[in-house]
Each structure stands twice: as structure tokens, then as C-alpha cells.
Amino acid sequence: MKRLFSILAITGLMTFGNVQAQDSTQAAAPATEQVADTTATVATTDEATATTDEAAATEEATFTQSMKKRFIEGGPVWMSPVLLCLILGLAIAIERIIYLNLSSINTKKFVTDVESALNSGGIEAAKEVSKNTAGPVASIFYQGLERSSHGLESAEKSIVAYGGVQMGQLEKNVSWVSLFIALAPMLGFLGTVIGMIEAFDQIESAGSMEPSLVAGGIKVALLTTVFGLIVAMILQVFYNYITAKIDSIVNDMEDASISLVDMLSDYFKEKVNK
């Protein structure tokens, strides 16, 4: 009896274990399929992303190569001067932009500091504030305060004279940028005209008007004009920014100079009254 009970118990356990194992296998199968699907989806997404990146890189490389090819087709004789105009123009423009940005200060705060120093410590204190501040406005103030010992009229003349010197420093080499703006398209047009002349020479030598004979020469000739115009447009943007910056600094110089003359006038009046 005990042996029969033991056999039935073992049989039941084995049956239950097999059912549970089947259930686990069936449950694991969808999970495995889901993981496989997810992996396949991720792989497909990665492939799509890689394809997109490769397409973008190819497009960028194609644009760069196309521009390089067009530049070479234009010919080194005429394209090199145009490129030189771009390089020199950008170098001067960047140098001027850096110089002008370093020359810009908070003019209102500076005038207030000088006025406070002038009222509390006199001319020497105001000169010290001007000396420790960079920019053309501070330089004009220092020169005006330096000459104030000779009288208000002498200080005004010094401010006007040194203001002209500072304006010259601000506008230094800017005329070269405008020259390159005008020169680049002129070189392009010159290359185009000479290229057209060469194309007509080929027509004259051939004795017939064949499009394939002159199309390549005309295309090459027009490329110089395209690149010349591109260089001029790029430099024109920088030139306009530079001139606007110079005008802003000059306006600050003029306003600050008027304020300095008023401060010195009030200072001398108070000094005479004392």
C-alpha cells in the first residue's frame, strides 16, 4: 500500500513538473521572440541611422568636392587672385573686429567714475581712472585731463586733436577691405571677358559654331565671376559690421568729450569760487 502511494506521488510530481516546464517553455518562447524582434528593430534603426549619416557625409563631401572642382576649373591664373582677396580681406576684417570689440567700454559708467574721481580727488585721481581704462574714450579723457593744467581752452583743443587721432586708429586698414570688395568681382569679370575672347578665338580657328567647342570655355570663364561675387558679398558683410561698430564708438567718443568739457568747466568754477 505504501509502495503504491509512493508510486502515485512520484507520478503526480513528474506530471506536475512536466506541465510546469511546458508552461515555462511556452512563456519563454514569446519573450524570446519579442527580444529577437526588438533586436531586429534596433538593428534596423541603427542601419537606417548609419545610412542617413553616410548620406549626409556623402552630401557634404560632394558639396566640398564640387566647390573644389569648380574652383580648379576656373583656372589658377584668375582664381588665385580672387582667393587672395578673400584671405587678405578676412584677415584684416577679423583683426579690426577684435580691435574694435576691445576698444568698446561702458561709456556711461566710465564717465560717472571719472566724475566721481574728479570731485573727490581732483585731476590726478581722474587721470588715474582714465589711465587704468582701455579704449579710445579713456585715452581722450587722459589727454584732456593732462592738458587741463593749461586751462579749459587748451584741454578742449587737446580733446579735439586727440579725438581725430583715435578715429584714425579705429579706421586703420578698413579701406583695404573696401578695396578687396571692389577688386574681387572686377578680377572675376576680367577673367570672364578674357575667357570669352578665347572661346571666340576657338570658333574663329574652327571656322564653325559648334556648341561643344565653346561651351567648356564659356563655363570656365563664368566661374571666375561667380567666385568674385561670392568673395565680395562675404567681405561686404564684415565691412558693414566694422563701419557700424566704428560709428558707434565715435558717437560715444563725442558724447564723452562733451561730458568731459562740462566736468572740467564745473571743476574750475568750483575751484575759483573756493
Side-chain angles (χ1 to χ4, degrees):
M1 187 69 182
K2 291 182 180 180
R3 182 179 298 178
L4 179 61
F5 181 78
S6 300
I7 292 172
L8 291 175
I10 294 171
T11 303
L13 290 174
M14 292 178 63
T15 304
F16 179 77
N18 291 331
V19 172
Q20 188 175 7
Q22 290 176 358
D23 293 339
S24 300
T25 304
Q26 292 175 356
T32 305
E33 292 177 357
Q34 185 176 2
V35 171
D37 293 340
T38 304
T39 304
T41 303
V42 172
T44 304
T45 305
D46 292 340
E47 290 178 359
T49 304
T51 304
T52 304
D53 294 339
E54 290 177 359
T58 304
E59 183 178 357
E60 183 178 358
T62 303
F63 176 78
T64 305
Q65 292 174 358
S66 176
M67 293 296 292
K68 182 179 178 181
K69 178 182 177 182
R70 297 296 185 186
F71 183 85
I72 294 174
E73 287 178 351
V77 176
W78 299 108
M79 298 301 286
S80 297
V82 173
L83 179 61
L84 186 62
C85 289
L86 176 62
I87 293 173
L88 294 178
L90 285 178
I92 295 173
I94 292 172
E95 184 272 332
R96 284 291 88 190
I97 290 173
I98 294 174
Y99 178 83
L100 293 174
N101 286 329
L102 293 176
S103 300
S104 301
I105 61 172
N106 189 343
T107 307
K108 293 182 179 180
K109 183 178 182 302
F110 172 72
V111 172
T112 303
D113 293 341
V114 171
E115 186 175 8
S116 300
L118 183 64
N119 294 330
S120 59
I123 299 294
E124 293 299 324
K127 285 170 59 178
E128 191 66 22
V129 174
S130 301
K131 184 178 180 180
N132 295 330
T133 305
V137 176
S139 299
I140 292 172
F141 268 52
Y142 183 83
Q143 293 297 323
L145 292 168
E146 182 73 18
R147 299 292 297 177
S148 63
S149 58
H150 299 278
L152 182 60
E153 184 177 354
S154 178
E156 290 180 1
K157 291 181 179 179
S158 178
I159 291 171
V160 173
Y162 203 72
V165 173
Q166 290 299 315
M167 285 184 62
Q169 292 293 327
L170 294 175
E171 296 175 351
K172 184 179 178 181
N173 294 329
V174 177
S175 59
W176 287 102
V177 180
S178 61
L179 173 64
F180 293 136
I181 291 173
L183 192 60
M186 287 182 181
L187 290 171
F189 289 137
L190 182 60
T192 298
V193 171
I194 292 177
M196 295 292 289
I197 292 173
E198 292 177 353
F200 282 109
D201 286 341
Q202 293 177 0
I203 296 174
E204 184 179 6
S205 299
S208 61
M209 184 63 178
E210 296 181 4
S212 60
L213 184 64
V214 297
I218 294 175
K219 181 187 73 172
V220 171
L222 293 175
L223 287 174
T224 58
T225 298
V226 172
F227 278 91
L229 293 173
I230 291 173
V231 170
M233 287 187 290
I234 293 173
L235 294 180
Q236 186 67 51
V237 173
F238 285 93
Y239 179 79
N240 286 355
Y241 175 81
I242 290 171
T243 53
K245 194 72 175 177
I246 291 174
D247 291 340
S248 176
I249 295 176
V250 170
N251 289 333
D252 290 341
M253 288 166 53
E254 293 175 351
D255 293 340
S257 298
I258 296 172
S259 301
L260 177 60
V261 173
D262 293 339
M263 283 189 290
L264 290 175
S265 179
D266 296 338
Y267 175 77
F268 287 136
K269 286 180 181 179
E270 292 179 0
K271 191 174 182 181
V272 170
N273 293 332
K274 291 181 180 179

